Amino acid sequence: MTVRAVLSPIATAAGRRGELISTLSAENGPDVGPVTDIFDTLRPTAPDFSAALDIALDREGGVLIGTGEPMFDSRLAAAVGVPQFLVAAGEQDHLQLQQLSGQLVRVGRAPGGIAVMDGTSGSSALEAEGTAVPFLALDKVDEAEPRTPVIGPEVFERNLIIQARAAKAHIVLPEGDDDRILIAADQLLAKKVCDLTILGDPAAMAARSHELGLDLSGATLTDPTRGDDLERFAAEFAELRKSKGVTLDEARETMKDISYYATMMIHLGLADGMVSGAAHTTAHTIKPSFQIIKTVPEASIVSSVFLMVMDGVLWAFGDCAVNPNPTPAQLAEIAVVSAKTAAQFGIDPKVAMLSYSTGSSGAGEDVEAVAEAVTIARESAPELSVDGPLQFDAAVVESVGQKKLPGSSVAGKATVFVFPDLNSGNITYKAVQRTADALAVGPILQGLNKPVNDLSRGATVPDIVNTVAITAIQAGN
């Protein structure tokens, strides 16, 4: 059970924070349960949204006294699924209440009410303004009804960690000479997300982790250029590639490559998945997978999907990282497998096959290719909700979608977006990521027998943590 409400002391009430907490905590005070002060709990650091979210979700009932910054507190309340109450001291705060209430209503997060420290029963000033927020005494806060949590980036990341932890996977990270990998590994181990093997020079990794103040004692540090496993891996690779004329000596040299070594670990069951690419190209990460673990029988290609997370919005974009110019049959396959990946992460898949034209309004080779892909996807996955060609606005805005493609179960409601080529897909995901403050998780590779995921060479530590968590979840499914 989480907290039941978030209280934001504003204006005059902000200066009476201690009094508010004492009143709520008093034996003869309102029956609101335990009172948690976010500042006292997070001190000495400044409030961080993820840390505040952990506090709110880990508490057993009661109320949370928020930061007093109403937008921060309202977003926290929405993420937890509880009402936010603005706490005023009385009529003297009515101007600030008018302004803040209006701001919250405009962003779709109207407060559940206004709690009044001095027991004022109402505010004629607010009522005259028509503010759609009831005045309540503090003893009414405990009667607040729960709300549906709004999934945003921080909630999604938190859920990823919980889901990955339950998978109990073993992930190999080949790039142990990159500080970002070591820092991410420290965080993953601290959160008990998965077991880890990190490839590189064990002495050098241990020394560097000590310099950075990291604890990698829970990871296995392995040198891929020596040891008994290298010879075993080489023999297995030579057997796998004998039809290509690969000798044992050639296989031995190949296995010294970190990506090949890590991929062979997965093939032989010594790891469940791999995350690489922070310091290497996508081709360097994926090529060994084609040669060793191969694709699932129903896949003709490997593709990718990005999970795009915003407050109250969770989308999947494919393919934005692998296939430059997919054929109609490949587009259809990307649509079907992207829908399956989206479902793994809580998205109800409604697949929009995107184009510069909607339905039959336009013509041309590119539009016809998308229309053909829709036909193929429907034939291969009759149960899948898929439609197109659709322009982006017709895919996401219901009024536009139903006007341009009446009766469609996808138009205006799409959650999975399949781009016609890599050019448009990569541009769009980066545009959404950078302009809509979206969390972009991926690329998540699809179609391989075992999970292997690629990092951008500009990946941040949170990117790496998220990708490892995704890989662990894939391994557990």
Side-chain angles (χ1 to χ4, degrees):
M1 182 179 178
T2 60
V3 296
R4 297 167 65 180
V6 174
L7 275 59
S8 298
I10 57 99
T12 306
R16 298 168 61 181
R17 188 183 190 91
E19 180 185 342
L20 172 63
I21 295 168
S22 297
T23 300
L24 288 168
S25 303
E27 290 184 6
N28 61 349
D31 182 20
V32 295
V35 179
T36 302
D37 180 5
I38 198 168
F39 279 125
D40 186 57
T41 308
L42 290 176
R43 197 175 283 131
T45 61
D48 168 81
F49 191 83
S50 293
L53 184 64
D54 286 340
I55 292 170
L57 291 173
D58 290 342
R59 289 301 180 269
E60 292 293 329
V63 296
L64 178 68
I65 308 299
T67 63
E69 202 293 299
M71 289 300 178
F72 183 103
D73 292 345
S74 71
R75 187 163 177 256
L76 178 61
V80 178
V82 299
Q84 173 201 22
F85 290 89
L86 299 177
V87 180
E91 283 285 328
Q92 67 269 32
D93 293 336
H94 74 273
L95 290 177
Q96 289 90 335
L97 286 172
Q98 287 173 10
Q99 181 183 31
L100 293 172
S101 296
Q103 290 174 351
L104 292 167
V105 168
R106 283 193 292 276
V107 297
R109 293 200 293 264
I114 296 168
V116 187
M117 291 181 65
D118 296 334
T120 307
S121 60
S123 169
S124 57
L126 278 177
E127 290 169 1
E129 291 291 325
T131 304
V133 179
F135 250 87
L136 301 172
L138 285 174
D139 59 0
K140 299 294 184 183
V141 171
D142 65 311
E143 299 176 3
E145 292 292 329
R147 300 180 178 185
T148 301
V150 174
I151 303 298
E154 295 84 1
V155 176
F156 184 81
E157 288 179 310
R158 191 178 194 274
N159 291 343
L160 269 188
I161 296 301
I162 294 170
Q163 200 175 346
R165 191 181 293 141
K168 300 185 184 301
H170 183 168
I171 306 300
V172 56
L173 304 175
E175 300 167 312
D177 56 352
D178 191 302
D179 284 355
R180 293 168 296 170
I181 295 295
L182 299 181
I183 296 168
D186 172 77
Q187 295 181 12
L188 289 160
L189 292 168
K191 296 175 182 178
K192 297 180 171 57
V193 174
C194 59
D195 293 332
L196 291 175
T197 291
I198 310 173
L199 303 186
D201 181 334
M205 288 189 287
R208 184 57 179 157
S209 66
H210 179 73
E211 291 174 3
L212 295 172
L214 309 175
D215 181 6
L216 300 184
S217 59
T220 300
L221 308 182
T222 299
D223 186 346
T225 66
R226 63 185 64 191
D228 295 339
D229 282 339
L230 178 62
E231 196 63 28
R232 179 160 67 108
F233 289 3
E236 178 68 15
F237 187 71
E239 178 64 24
L240 288 172
R241 304 291 290 173
K242 65 182 179 182
S243 64
K244 302 294 184 181
V246 174
T247 67
L248 181 58
D249 285 341
E250 290 170 338
R252 194 177 288 116
E253 286 304 308
T254 299
M255 281 300 110
K256 291 179 181 179
D257 181 286
I258 57 170
S259 288
Y260 277 93
Y261 189 99
T263 305
M264 186 59 75
M265 285 184 64
I266 302 169
H267 173 68
L268 294 175
L270 301 177
D272 300 310
M274 176 180 85
V275 172
S276 188
H280 296 84
T281 65
T282 296
H284 187 259
T285 298
I286 298 177
K287 183 180 177 181
S289 300
F290 291 138
Q291 297 179 1
I292 298 173
I293 61 177
K294 307 186 187 311
T295 57
V296 294
E298 63 271 22
S300 66
I301 57 169
V302 171
S303 62
S304 73
V305 69
F306 277 88
L307 301 180
M308 308 299 295
V309 192
M310 295 157 276
D311 278 342
V313 176
L314 180 54
W315 287 340
F317 283 5
D319 173 6
C320 303
V322 180
N323 298 284
N325 291 293
T327 65
Q330 290 171 336
L331 271 180
E333 185 176 321
I334 291 168
V336 174
V337 72
S338 295
K340 291 178 180 176
T341 300
Q344 279 185 296
F345 298 99
I347 300 175
D348 178 18
K350 296 183 182 298
V351 184
M353 307 288 280
L354 297 175
S355 173
Y356 61 78
S357 173
T358 295
S360 57
S361 64
E365 184 179 339
D366 292 338
V367 179
E368 290 165 5
V370 174
E372 183 181 349
V374 173
T375 299
I376 297 170
R378 286 173 173 169
E379 290 173 351
S380 62
E383 76 290 350
L384 181 62
S385 183
V386 56
D387 212 340
L390 280 163
Q391 293 162 287
F392 196 87
D393 60 345
V396 299
V397 181
E398 190 160 5
S399 59
V400 176
Q402 292 307 313
K403 181 178 180 179
K404 291 190 173 186
L405 206 62
S408 171
S409 62
V410 174
K413 304 172 185 176
T415 56
V416 179
F417 303 82
V418 177
F419 294 87
D421 54 50
L422 183 58
N423 196 33
S424 59
N426 194 272
I427 290 170
T428 303
Y429 108 75
K430 288 181 181 293
V432 173
Q433 179 188 31
R434 299 299 181 182
T435 62
D437 198 23
L439 171 68
V441 181
I444 303 169
L445 298 184
Q446 311 170 126
L448 292 167
N449 267 313
K450 298 287 182 69
V452 170
N453 282 311
D454 179 45
L455 296 166
S456 163
R457 276 170 283 177
T460 63
V461 170
D463 291 336
I464 298 167
V465 170
N466 288 339
T467 304
V468 172
I470 288 280
T471 309
I473 293 166
Q474 287 180 303
N477 288 326

